[in-house]
Amino acid sequence: MKKSYIAMIVAFLIGVGMLAKGFIFNEDIKMFLLIFWGIGMGLAFLRLFVNNSIKKMKGKSWTVKVVFFAVLLGFGLPFQSWFRNEVLFKMDSAYLGGSVLMLVVGMVFMTFFTGFAKEKFQSAKLEPSNS
């Protein structure tokens, strides 16, 4: 079994375990865990999109590259600053550790799951249909 599959499964089990614990024991953090799980998955998709876009920059003119990074930084830096200052710094410190862990677990899971799903879809395309 590939290491990426193991990392994906472990991240999923940690995330589901933390969510289950929060909902079973009706903890106050349960909604933060759910929200940060989703944010982590969204950030994984964003990271994969940006990495893919950067790979496609090869052969483009320097103006296209400058505009791409200007737009990327123009949206990314203010959002990052807002998220850090208005969400993380104002959050109750009792919820911060679990929420950040769920963010990271969501990113790890979705990054590896996307690679796993892409591999499965590509292998399904290559196999001839029996109908």
Side-chain angles (χ1 to χ4, degrees), residues 53-65:
S53 297
I54 289 172
K55 287 179 188 175
K56 291 180 180 179
M57 287 290 145
K58 207 177 265 188
K60 302 276 185 188
S61 71
W62 69 270
T63 53
V64 171
K65 293 176 184 176

Side-chain angles (χ1 to χ4, degrees), residues 25-98:
F25 294 116
N26 200 22
E27 297 174 342
D28 292 335
I29 194 173
K30 65 185 173 195
M31 290 313 292
F32 285 110
L33 294 177
L34 197 56
I35 291 168
F36 276 78
W37 173 263
I39 292 171
M41 288 188 199
L43 287 174
F45 280 130
L46 179 65
R47 186 184 69 76
L48 292 169
F49 168 75
V50 168
N51 285 351
N52 192 34
S53 297
I54 289 172
K55 287 179 188 175
K56 291 180 180 179
M57 287 290 145
K58 207 177 265 188
K60 302 276 185 188
S61 71
W62 69 270
T63 53
V64 171
K65 293 176 184 176
V66 168
V67 169
F68 173 77
F69 284 106
V71 169
L72 186 65
L73 293 173
F75 284 112
L77 290 178
F79 180 77
Q80 178 189 9
S81 178
W82 169 82
F83 187 77
R84 182 180 52 245
N85 294 329
E86 300 298 324
V87 177
L88 295 179
F89 287 162
K90 292 184 179 177
M91 185 180 239
D92 186 0
S93 61
Y95 301 155
L96 192 59

